[in-house]
Amino acid sequence: MNTKHTIPSDEELTAFIDGELTVEEAARIDAIVNEDESVAERLEFLARASLPFKQAFAPLLSEAPREKLETMLAAIPAQPSARPASTPAFASRRRFLGALAASLVAGIAIDRAVIGIGKGFSAKDENSEWRAVVADYISLYTAETLAGPVPGREDQAAQLGPLDEKLGLSLSPEAVSLPGIDFKRALLLQYDGKPLAQVAYLDPETGPMALCIVRSDAGPKSPDLESRKGMNVVYWSNGTHAFMLIGHAAADRMTAIAEGARGKVAV
């Protein structure tokens, strides 16, 4: 493996997936992916994820000219449609990434059904699934991701509005405030075709933190604690929604914060 290249950041890989790199930058990323298995695995993870990483990372990168992209597409050899039983998993990954690159350079939106990617999670425990996906997503956040001033109350309320409408919530800036932790933004995301509310915070002591909510008919559940991606997760549910608070703070502090939030965000 060649270790002299610069490892692409998640922002660069996300831009590659979204078709926002120049031809030269896309070619550079493609070359690194083909020689570095760890980068290939990271790209595959970002491409397979169903959450909109573009909202988390929005680099100001120029869009590649379509004519040059089509020329690059024409030069990509066709990939076999089926994988022989003896083909190593890494070779299968290369075929997946080849299909991804072909779609990117053509300027075509990636559709998991088109390239034959099924769901990444079993349907046996839906509540566990969404927490796993959110943890993967939040693990990409750094303090720099959430840098900037704290929005004023009116801005916070405006960001929370779409969450209320799509998820049947009634969230005010006061309801989602966490003691000693800065509100940064509220996003309406999507998991498995369903709306997912995310309120992102920046804890001065431990970094990114997020409160996430989805509709759920699994019934009420008292708060519980688990660890995902090196972060602590406190999760609970009521009759209509499931909640999770995820962050890098110690378990006892996360539990205390979640208990305060639980009483305020009841819907």
Side-chain angles (χ1 to χ4, degrees), residues 11-12 14-16 18-26 54 58-66 68-69 104:
E11 292 91 333
E12 290 176 302
T14 301
F16 180 80
D18 290 333
E20 295 180 340
L21 295 178
T22 63
V23 173
E24 292 77 11
E25 281 298 299
K54 189 174 181 180
L60 299 178
L61 298 170
S62 58
E63 185 176 352
R66 184 176 182 83
K68 291 184 179 180
L69 294 178
L104 289 173

PDB file of all heavy atoms in Angstrom, residues 11-12 14-16 18-26 54 58-66 68-69 104:
ATOM      1  N   GLU A  11     -14.916  15.288   4.197  1.00  0.00           N
ATOM      2  CA  GLU A  11     -15.514  16.329   3.368  1.00  0.00           C
ATOM      3  C   GLU A  11     -15.189  16.094   1.893  1.00  0.00           C
ATOM      4  O   GLU A  11     -16.061  16.213   1.021  1.00  0.00           O
ATOM      5  CB  GLU A  11     -15.019  17.714   3.798  1.00  0.00           C
ATOM      6  CG  GLU A  11     -15.500  18.150   5.174  1.00  0.00           C
ATOM      7  CD  GLU A  11     -14.540  17.753   6.271  1.00  0.00           C
ATOM      8  OE1 GLU A  11     -13.804  16.749   6.095  1.00  0.00           O
ATOM      9  OE2 GLU A  11     -14.518  18.438   7.307  1.00  0.00           O
ATOM     10  N   GLU A  12     -13.923  15.707   1.606  1.00  0.00           N
ATOM     11  CA  GLU A  12     -13.533  15.465   0.216  1.00  0.00           C
ATOM     12  C   GLU A  12     -14.233  14.224  -0.339  1.00  0.00           C
ATOM     13  O   GLU A  12     -14.686  14.215  -1.490  1.00  0.00           O
ATOM     14  CB  GLU A  12     -12.018  15.304   0.128  1.00  0.00           C
ATOM     15  CG  GLU A  12     -11.236  16.586   0.366  1.00  0.00           C
ATOM     16  CD  GLU A  12      -9.738  16.352   0.369  1.00  0.00           C
ATOM     17  OE1 GLU A  12      -9.260  15.537   1.183  1.00  0.00           O
ATOM     18  OE2 GLU A  12      -9.041  16.980  -0.440  1.00  0.00           O
ATOM     19  N   THR A  14     -17.070  13.034   0.660  1.00  0.00           N
ATOM     20  CA  THR A  14     -18.481  13.375   0.484  1.00  0.00           C
ATOM     21  C   THR A  14     -18.684  14.176  -0.797  1.00  0.00           C
ATOM     22  O   THR A  14     -19.645  13.952  -1.542  1.00  0.00           O
ATOM     23  CB  THR A  14     -18.978  14.185   1.698  1.00  0.00           C
ATOM     24  OG1 THR A  14     -18.802  13.420   2.883  1.00  0.00           O
ATOM     25  CG2 THR A  14     -20.461  14.521   1.547  1.00  0.00           C
ATOM     26  N   ALA A  15     -17.781  15.100  -1.056  1.00  0.00           N
ATOM     27  CA  ALA A  15     -17.864  15.879  -2.299  1.00  0.00           C
ATOM     28  C   ALA A  15     -17.690  14.979  -3.513  1.00  0.00           C
ATOM     29  O   ALA A  15     -18.337  15.162  -4.546  1.00  0.00           O
ATOM     30  CB  ALA A  15     -16.804  16.980  -2.292  1.00  0.00           C
ATOM     31  N   PHE A  16     -16.821  13.970  -3.410  1.00  0.00           N
ATOM     32  CA  PHE A  16     -16.631  12.997  -4.488  1.00  0.00           C
ATOM     33  C   PHE A  16     -17.937  12.240  -4.746  1.00  0.00           C
ATOM     34  O   PHE A  16     -18.370  12.081  -5.891  1.00  0.00           O
ATOM     35  CB  PHE A  16     -15.514  12.028  -4.095  1.00  0.00           C
ATOM     36  CG  PHE A  16     -15.220  10.970  -5.125  1.00  0.00           C
ATOM     37  CD1 PHE A  16     -14.448  11.237  -6.237  1.00  0.00           C
ATOM     38  CD2 PHE A  16     -15.725   9.684  -4.970  1.00  0.00           C
ATOM     39  CE1 PHE A  16     -14.182  10.257  -7.179  1.00  0.00           C
ATOM     40  CE2 PHE A  16     -15.472   8.689  -5.905  1.00  0.00           C
ATOM     41  CZ  PHE A  16     -14.688   8.979  -7.020  1.00  0.00           C
ATOM     42  N   ASP A  18     -20.934  13.252  -4.043  1.00  0.00           N
ATOM     43  CA  ASP A  18     -21.958  14.168  -4.542  1.00  0.00           C
ATOM     44  C   ASP A  18     -21.632  14.737  -5.917  1.00  0.00           C
ATOM     45  O   ASP A  18     -22.384  15.542  -6.454  1.00  0.00           O
ATOM     46  CB  ASP A  18     -22.149  15.326  -3.550  1.00  0.00           C
ATOM     47  CG  ASP A  18     -22.806  14.870  -2.256  1.00  0.00           C
ATOM     48  OD1 ASP A  18     -23.541  13.867  -2.301  1.00  0.00           O
ATOM     49  OD2 ASP A  18     -22.590  15.505  -1.217  1.00  0.00           O
ATOM     50  N   GLY A  19     -20.473  14.344  -6.510  1.00  0.00           N
ATOM     51  CA  GLY A  19     -20.115  14.825  -7.838  1.00  0.00           C
ATOM     52  C   GLY A  19     -19.744  16.288  -7.874  1.00  0.00           C
ATOM     53  O   GLY A  19     -19.997  16.968  -8.873  1.00  0.00           O
ATOM     54  N   GLU A  20     -19.123  16.792  -6.802  1.00  0.00           N
ATOM     55  CA  GLU A  20     -18.837  18.220  -6.705  1.00  0.00           C
ATOM     56  C   GLU A  20     -17.356  18.555  -6.890  1.00  0.00           C
ATOM     57  O   GLU A  20     -16.962  19.701  -6.731  1.00  0.00           O
ATOM     58  CB  GLU A  20     -19.320  18.751  -5.351  1.00  0.00           C
ATOM     59  CG  GLU A  20     -20.829  18.670  -5.181  1.00  0.00           C
ATOM     60  CD  GLU A  20     -21.290  19.205  -3.840  1.00  0.00           C
ATOM     61  OE1 GLU A  20     -20.463  19.281  -2.919  1.00  0.00           O
ATOM     62  OE2 GLU A  20     -22.477  19.544  -3.722  1.00  0.00           O
ATOM     63  N   LEU A  21     -16.535  17.551  -7.211  1.00  0.00           N
ATOM     64  CA  LEU A  21     -15.110  17.797  -7.406  1.00  0.00           C
ATOM     65  C   LEU A  21     -14.813  18.095  -8.869  1.00  0.00           C
ATOM     66  O   LEU A  21     -15.558  17.728  -9.773  1.00  0.00           O
ATOM     67  CB  LEU A  21     -14.301  16.582  -6.960  1.00  0.00           C
ATOM     68  CG  LEU A  21     -14.338  16.221  -5.471  1.00  0.00           C
ATOM     69  CD1 LEU A  21     -13.528  14.966  -5.230  1.00  0.00           C
ATOM     70  CD2 LEU A  21     -13.813  17.370  -4.616  1.00  0.00           C
ATOM     71  N   THR A  22     -13.684  18.744  -9.087  1.00  0.00           N
ATOM     72  CA  THR A  22     -13.213  18.917 -10.454  1.00  0.00           C
ATOM     73  C   THR A  22     -12.765  17.564 -10.985  1.00  0.00           C
ATOM     74  O   THR A  22     -12.574  16.603 -10.231  1.00  0.00           O
ATOM     75  CB  THR A  22     -12.026  19.890 -10.501  1.00  0.00           C
ATOM     76  OG1 THR A  22     -10.942  19.330  -9.750  1.00  0.00           O
ATOM     77  CG2 THR A  22     -12.396  21.244  -9.916  1.00  0.00           C
ATOM     78  N   VAL A  23     -12.572  17.479 -12.297  1.00  0.00           N
ATOM     79  CA  VAL A  23     -12.117  16.236 -12.903  1.00  0.00           C
ATOM     80  C   VAL A  23     -10.799  15.785 -12.286  1.00  0.00           C
ATOM     81  O   VAL A  23     -10.595  14.605 -11.975  1.00  0.00           O
ATOM     82  CB  VAL A  23     -11.958  16.411 -14.427  1.00  0.00           C
ATOM     83  CG1 VAL A  23     -11.312  15.172 -15.037  1.00  0.00           C
ATOM     84  CG2 VAL A  23     -13.304  16.677 -15.081  1.00  0.00           C
ATOM     85  N   GLU A  24      -9.880  16.743 -12.099  1.00  0.00           N
ATOM     86  CA  GLU A  24      -8.572  16.406 -11.550  1.00  0.00           C
ATOM     87  C   GLU A  24      -8.675  15.881 -10.126  1.00  0.00           C
ATOM     88  O   GLU A  24      -8.036  14.885  -9.767  1.00  0.00           O
ATOM     89  CB  GLU A  24      -7.647  17.633 -11.592  1.00  0.00           C
ATOM     90  CG  GLU A  24      -7.249  18.085 -12.991  1.00  0.00           C
ATOM     91  CD  GLU A  24      -8.355  18.851 -13.701  1.00  0.00           C
ATOM     92  OE1 GLU A  24      -9.366  19.223 -13.052  1.00  0.00           O
ATOM     93  OE2 GLU A  24      -8.212  19.055 -14.923  1.00  0.00           O
ATOM     94  N   GLU A  25      -9.490  16.535  -9.293  1.00  0.00           N
ATOM     95  CA  GLU A  25      -9.636  16.100  -7.904  1.00  0.00           C
ATOM     96  C   GLU A  25     -10.346  14.753  -7.834  1.00  0.00           C
ATOM     97  O   GLU A  25      -9.990  13.896  -7.028  1.00  0.00           O
ATOM     98  CB  GLU A  25     -10.410  17.148  -7.097  1.00  0.00           C
ATOM     99  CG  GLU A  25      -9.554  18.344  -6.680  1.00  0.00           C
ATOM    100  CD  GLU A  25      -8.415  17.907  -5.783  1.00  0.00           C
ATOM    101  OE1 GLU A  25      -8.682  17.356  -4.691  1.00  0.00           O
ATOM    102  OE2 GLU A  25      -7.254  18.072  -6.179  1.00  0.00           O
ATOM    103  N   ALA A  26     -11.358  14.550  -8.685  1.00  0.00           N
ATOM    104  CA  ALA A  26     -12.060  13.267  -8.699  1.00  0.00           C
ATOM    105  C   ALA A  26     -11.116  12.142  -9.098  1.00  0.00           C
ATOM    106  O   ALA A  26     -11.144  11.047  -8.524  1.00  0.00           O
ATOM    107  CB  ALA A  26     -13.254  13.329  -9.653  1.00  0.00           C
ATOM    108  N   LYS A  54     -24.320  15.353   2.864  1.00  0.00           N
ATOM    109  CA  LYS A  54     -24.087  16.645   2.230  1.00  0.00           C
ATOM    110  C   LYS A  54     -24.513  17.789   3.134  1.00  0.00           C
ATOM    111  O   LYS A  54     -23.943  18.877   3.101  1.00  0.00           O
ATOM    112  CB  LYS A  54     -24.828  16.706   0.891  1.00  0.00           C
ATOM    113  CG  LYS A  54     -24.480  17.922   0.052  1.00  0.00           C
ATOM    114  CD  LYS A  54     -25.151  17.830  -1.306  1.00  0.00           C
ATOM    115  CE  LYS A  54     -24.800  19.029  -2.175  1.00  0.00           C
ATOM    116  NZ  LYS A  54     -25.442  18.943  -3.490  1.00  0.00           N
ATOM    117  N   ALA A  58     -20.633  20.756   3.640  1.00  0.00           N
ATOM    118  CA  ALA A  58     -21.000  21.456   2.411  1.00  0.00           C
ATOM    119  C   ALA A  58     -19.826  22.275   1.906  1.00  0.00           C
ATOM    120  O   ALA A  58     -19.830  23.497   1.948  1.00  0.00           O
ATOM    121  CB  ALA A  58     -22.212  22.360   2.664  1.00  0.00           C
ATOM    122  N   PRO A  59     -18.736  21.620   1.478  1.00  0.00           N
ATOM    123  CA  PRO A  59     -17.571  22.354   1.006  1.00  0.00           C
ATOM    124  C   PRO A  59     -17.886  23.130  -0.259  1.00  0.00           C
ATOM    125  O   PRO A  59     -18.674  22.675  -1.097  1.00  0.00           O
ATOM    126  CB  PRO A  59     -16.541  21.253   0.736  1.00  0.00           C
ATOM    127  CG  PRO A  59     -17.360  20.042   0.482  1.00  0.00           C
ATOM    128  CD  PRO A  59     -18.576  20.176   1.344  1.00  0.00           C
ATOM    129  N   LEU A  60     -17.262  24.278  -0.403  1.00  0.00           N
ATOM    130  CA  LEU A  60     -17.484  25.113  -1.582  1.00  0.00           C
ATOM    131  C   LEU A  60     -16.528  24.654  -2.684  1.00  0.00           C
ATOM    132  O   LEU A  60     -15.455  25.212  -2.885  1.00  0.00           O
ATOM    133  CB  LEU A  60     -17.232  26.588  -1.222  1.00  0.00           C
ATOM    134  CG  LEU A  60     -18.148  27.133  -0.132  1.00  0.00           C
ATOM    135  CD1 LEU A  60     -17.783  28.582   0.182  1.00  0.00           C
ATOM    136  CD2 LEU A  60     -19.604  27.048  -0.569  1.00  0.00           C
ATOM    137  N   LEU A  61     -16.946  23.593  -3.373  1.00  0.00           N
ATOM    138  CA  LEU A  61     -16.124  22.993  -4.411  1.00  0.00           C
ATOM    139  C   LEU A  61     -16.816  23.161  -5.758  1.00  0.00           C
ATOM    140  O   LEU A  61     -18.031  23.057  -5.871  1.00  0.00           O
ATOM    141  CB  LEU A  61     -15.906  21.502  -4.113  1.00  0.00           C
ATOM    142  CG  LEU A  61     -15.167  21.218  -2.791  1.00  0.00           C
ATOM    143  CD1 LEU A  61     -15.231  19.734  -2.482  1.00  0.00           C
ATOM    144  CD2 LEU A  61     -13.734  21.687  -2.883  1.00  0.00           C
ATOM    145  N   SER A  62     -16.040  23.406  -6.796  1.00  0.00           N
ATOM    146  CA  SER A  62     -16.626  23.652  -8.112  1.00  0.00           C
ATOM    147  C   SER A  62     -17.096  22.359  -8.753  1.00  0.00           C
ATOM    148  O   SER A  62     -16.539  21.285  -8.521  1.00  0.00           O
ATOM    149  CB  SER A  62     -15.598  24.320  -9.029  1.00  0.00           C
ATOM    150  OG  SER A  62     -14.452  23.502  -9.140  1.00  0.00           O
ATOM    151  N   GLU A  63     -18.151  22.457  -9.556  1.00  0.00           N
ATOM    152  CA  GLU A  63     -18.720  21.293 -10.226  1.00  0.00           C
ATOM    153  C   GLU A  63     -17.940  21.011 -11.500  1.00  0.00           C
ATOM    154  O   GLU A  63     -17.595  21.914 -12.260  1.00  0.00           O
ATOM    155  CB  GLU A  63     -20.183  21.561 -10.557  1.00  0.00           C
ATOM    156  CG  GLU A  63     -20.888  20.349 -11.150  1.00  0.00           C
ATOM    157  CD  GLU A  63     -22.351  20.621 -11.364  1.00  0.00           C
ATOM    158  OE1 GLU A  63     -22.815  21.682 -10.913  1.00  0.00           O
ATOM    159  OE2 GLU A  63     -23.017  19.786 -11.993  1.00  0.00           O
ATOM    160  N   ALA A  64     -17.637  19.750 -11.744  1.00  0.00           N
ATOM    161  CA  ALA A  64     -16.828  19.389 -12.908  1.00  0.00           C
ATOM    162  C   ALA A  64     -17.629  19.582 -14.193  1.00  0.00           C
ATOM    163  O   ALA A  64     -18.823  19.330 -14.240  1.00  0.00           O
ATOM    164  CB  ALA A  64     -16.401  17.936 -12.791  1.00  0.00           C
ATOM    165  N   PRO A  65     -16.963  20.021 -15.291  1.00  0.00           N
ATOM    166  CA  PRO A  65     -17.657  20.197 -16.573  1.00  0.00           C
ATOM    167  C   PRO A  65     -18.219  18.874 -17.080  1.00  0.00           C
ATOM    168  O   PRO A  65     -17.538  17.846 -17.053  1.00  0.00           O
ATOM    169  CB  PRO A  65     -16.542  20.713 -17.496  1.00  0.00           C
ATOM    170  CG  PRO A  65     -15.498  21.257 -16.580  1.00  0.00           C
ATOM    171  CD  PRO A  65     -15.568  20.429 -15.341  1.00  0.00           C
ATOM    172  N   ARG A  66     -19.439  18.896 -17.548  1.00  0.00           N
ATOM    173  CA  ARG A  66     -20.122  17.658 -17.960  1.00  0.00           C
ATOM    174  C   ARG A  66     -19.419  16.980 -19.131  1.00  0.00           C
ATOM    175  O   ARG A  66     -19.312  15.745 -19.175  1.00  0.00           O
ATOM    176  CB  ARG A  66     -21.579  17.978 -18.324  1.00  0.00           C
ATOM    177  CG  ARG A  66     -22.370  16.721 -18.659  1.00  0.00           C
ATOM    178  CD  ARG A  66     -23.812  17.035 -18.919  1.00  0.00           C
ATOM    179  NE  ARG A  66     -24.548  15.824 -19.190  1.00  0.00           N
ATOM    180  CZ  ARG A  66     -25.035  15.012 -18.265  1.00  0.00           C
ATOM    181  NH1 ARG A  66     -24.841  15.300 -17.001  1.00  0.00           N
ATOM    182  NH2 ARG A  66     -25.709  13.929 -18.598  1.00  0.00           N
ATOM    183  N   LYS A  68     -16.263  16.852 -19.972  1.00  0.00           N
ATOM    184  CA  LYS A  68     -15.093  16.100 -19.522  1.00  0.00           C
ATOM    185  C   LYS A  68     -15.504  14.875 -18.718  1.00  0.00           C
ATOM    186  O   LYS A  68     -14.879  13.814 -18.806  1.00  0.00           O
ATOM    187  CB  LYS A  68     -14.177  16.997 -18.690  1.00  0.00           C
ATOM    188  CG  LYS A  68     -13.491  18.091 -19.500  1.00  0.00           C
ATOM    189  CD  LYS A  68     -12.515  18.874 -18.621  1.00  0.00           C
ATOM    190  CE  LYS A  68     -11.796  19.949 -19.435  1.00  0.00           C
ATOM    191  NZ  LYS A  68     -10.848  20.718 -18.595  1.00  0.00           N
ATOM    192  N   LEU A  69     -16.562  15.034 -17.949  1.00  0.00           N
ATOM    193  CA  LEU A  69     -17.032  13.907 -17.151  1.00  0.00           C
ATOM    194  C   LEU A  69     -17.516  12.769 -18.046  1.00  0.00           C
ATOM    195  O   LEU A  69     -17.271  11.594 -17.771  1.00  0.00           O
ATOM    196  CB  LEU A  69     -18.163  14.355 -16.228  1.00  0.00           C
ATOM    197  CG  LEU A  69     -17.780  15.354 -15.133  1.00  0.00           C
ATOM    198  CD1 LEU A  69     -19.009  15.749 -14.323  1.00  0.00           C
ATOM    199  CD2 LEU A  69     -16.723  14.775 -14.229  1.00  0.00           C
ATOM    200  N   LEU A 104     -20.923   8.860 -10.690  1.00  0.00           N
ATOM    201  CA  LEU A 104     -20.508  10.211 -10.307  1.00  0.00           C
ATOM    202  C   LEU A 104     -20.067  11.012 -11.519  1.00  0.00           C
ATOM    203  O   LEU A 104     -20.469  12.160 -11.699  1.00  0.00           O
ATOM    204  CB  LEU A 104     -19.361  10.126  -9.292  1.00  0.00           C
ATOM    205  CG  LEU A 104     -19.733   9.622  -7.899  1.00  0.00           C
ATOM    206  CD1 LEU A 104     -18.470   9.440  -7.073  1.00  0.00           C
ATOM    207  CD2 LEU A 104     -20.672  10.586  -7.215  1.00  0.00           C
TER     208      LEU A 104
END
